[in-house]
């Protein structure tokens, strides 16, 4: 469900809280809690919008942790949460990162103030305006008949293969990025690009845009230091894949379904 972004919480709606302590997020019964931790001191409390008919709040813990619940690093926390709450936690994590990294103006070094929209920041001295950074990155799943092109990166879980991905460069279109990254990473040319879907990914502020494409030539040549291994995998003999919460997992499942539909 998309966010609604009113300036104030809706009085009739229940709440959900994203409470952070350092790099960890507080979960209660594997969910975002409906109340802040009882008896604990919080700072930086802010309203982030309405999501799933809940007012979403964020805060930072000060002092001792509550006895109930558990504290998890962001990635394990996202994997533990119900699918419908992942987007809420991702928004909180990205806004928190922005607020921590934008305390002073990059132009004149004056302390920044929160803007009226409660999302951006502005400099009262020189007038500079700042908004949370969003970094577009493409992901592409290439097929050759029944086969999918998957790659193993050095920073992946051992044995896990995924679709190709890369950040969009300044002055570059998404389509140009797909062609460049595919050629750079594995030496393959592609054709017939099709947009599939997107995902906000808070590590730290990516917007993943997923595409499918068809093989158009070339031999696999893994890029040194970027790709440990890459190969063509039949849709009925896929290797270990990324977590189900990731856009890569959904893209590979989507690509497999497209091939199966073409065969019927």
């Amino acid at each position: 469900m998309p966010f609604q972004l009113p300036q104030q919480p809706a009085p009739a709606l229940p709440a959900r809280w994203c409470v952070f302590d350092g790099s960890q997020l507080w979960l209660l019964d594997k969910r975002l809690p409906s109340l802040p931790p009882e008896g604990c001191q919080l700072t930086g409390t802010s309203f982030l919008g309405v999501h799933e008919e809940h007012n979403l709040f964020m805060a930072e813990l000060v002092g001792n942790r509550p006895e109930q619940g558990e504290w998890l690093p962001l990635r394990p926390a996202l994997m533990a949460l119900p699918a419908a709450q992942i987007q809420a936690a991702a928004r909180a994590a990205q806004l928190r990162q922005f607020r921590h990294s934008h305390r002073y103006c990059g132009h004149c070094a004056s302390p920044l103030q929160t803007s009226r929209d409660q999302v951006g920041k502005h400099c009262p001295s020189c007038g500079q305006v700042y908004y949370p950074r969003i970094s577009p990155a493409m992901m592409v799943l290439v097929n050759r008949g029944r086969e999918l092109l998957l790659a193993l990166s050095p920073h992946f879980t051992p044995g896990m293969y995924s679709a190709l991905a890369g950040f969009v460069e300044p002055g570059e279109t998404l389509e140009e990025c797909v062609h460049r990254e595919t050629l750079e990473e594995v030496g393959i040319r592609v054709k017939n690009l099709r947009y599939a879907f997107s995902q906000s990914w808070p590590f730290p502020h990516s917007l993943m845009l997923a595409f499918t494409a068809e093989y158009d030539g070339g031999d696999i040549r893994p890029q040194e230091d970027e790709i440990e291994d890459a190969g063509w995998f039949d849709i009925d003999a896929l290797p270990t894949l990324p977590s189900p919460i990731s856009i890569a997992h959904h893209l590979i499942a989507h690509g497999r379904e497209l091939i199966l539909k073409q065969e019927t």
Side-chain angles (χ1 to χ4, degrees):
M1 176 179 289
F3 278 97
Q4 301 171 41
L5 302 177
Q7 293 298 305
Q8 299 295 330
L13 294 180
R16 281 194 180 128
W17 284 79
C18 293
V19 180
F20 293 90
D21 183 14
S23 62
Q24 297 188 325
L25 178 66
W26 183 53
L27 300 186
L28 196 59
D29 297 326
K30 306 295 185 183
R31 305 177 70 87
L32 296 177
S34 59
L35 294 171
E38 185 177 358
C40 293
Q41 185 178 353
L42 301 178
T43 187
T45 299
S46 55
F47 170 63
L48 305 184
V50 174
H51 184 254
E52 277 206 317
E53 298 301 313
H54 285 72
N55 292 315
L56 181 64
F57 296 93
M58 175 177 67
E60 305 265 358
L61 180 72
V62 178
N64 296 328
R65 291 180 171 183
E67 295 183 0
Q68 70 274 30
E70 60 181 331
W71 295 87
L72 294 175
L74 184 57
R75 193 179 298 266
L78 294 181
M79 296 178 67
L81 284 170
Q85 296 185 15
I86 292 174
Q87 188 180 18
R91 175 172 172 79
Q94 290 183 69
L95 288 176
R96 176 177 181 265
Q97 194 276 338
F98 166 70
R99 292 172 186 179
H100 282 202
S101 62
H102 287 73
R103 298 179 178 178
Y104 298 93
C105 179
H107 182 70
C108 71
S110 297
L112 294 176
Q113 295 180 358
T114 301
S115 299
R116 290 183 179 180
D117 60 12
Q118 299 297 309
V119 176
K121 290 193 172 186
H122 69 276
C123 178
S125 297
C126 69
Q128 291 288 319
V129 177
Y130 300 88
Y131 280 93
R133 178 180 176 184
I134 298 175
S135 302
M138 76 82 201
M139 177 169 285
V140 61
L141 182 67
V142 184
N143 81 282
R144 186 180 67 176
R146 283 180 53 89
E147 296 176 314
L148 301 178
L149 177 59
L150 302 176
L152 174 66
S153 174
H155 64 270
F156 286 176
T157 301
M160 186 193 79
Y161 284 72
S162 184
L164 303 175
F167 285 102
V168 181
E169 293 290 337
E172 188 176 51
T173 68
L174 289 169
E175 294 83 359
E176 290 168 345
C177 180
V178 171
H179 287 284
R180 175 184 57 78
E181 286 283 357
T182 307
L183 190 60
E184 286 180 358
E185 292 194 349
V186 292
I188 294 297
R189 298 186 302 277
V190 298
K191 61 182 180 181
N192 296 334
L193 269 62
R194 295 289 186 272
Y195 172 76
F197 35 71
S198 63
Q199 181 185 43
S200 177
W201 194 238
F203 299 101
H205 35 60
S206 297
L207 175 62
M208 305 298 301
L209 301 120
F211 293 82
T212 60
E214 297 176 8
Y215 171 74
D216 192 38
D219 298 321
I220 294 177
R221 300 188 309 274
Q223 184 180 13
E224 187 176 354
D225 298 328
E226 292 289 334
I227 303 295
E228 286 187 354
D229 184 47
W232 296 102
F233 295 86
D234 187 271
I235 59 172
D236 290 331
L238 296 176
T240 301
L241 300 179
S243 163
I245 72 169
S246 69
I247 194 172
H249 187 98
H250 293 290
L251 180 60
I252 294 168
H254 173 70
R256 185 176 186 275
E257 288 299 317
L258 290 178
I259 294 172
L260 291 174
K261 287 181 180 179
Q262 292 173 358
E263 293 180 343
T264 58

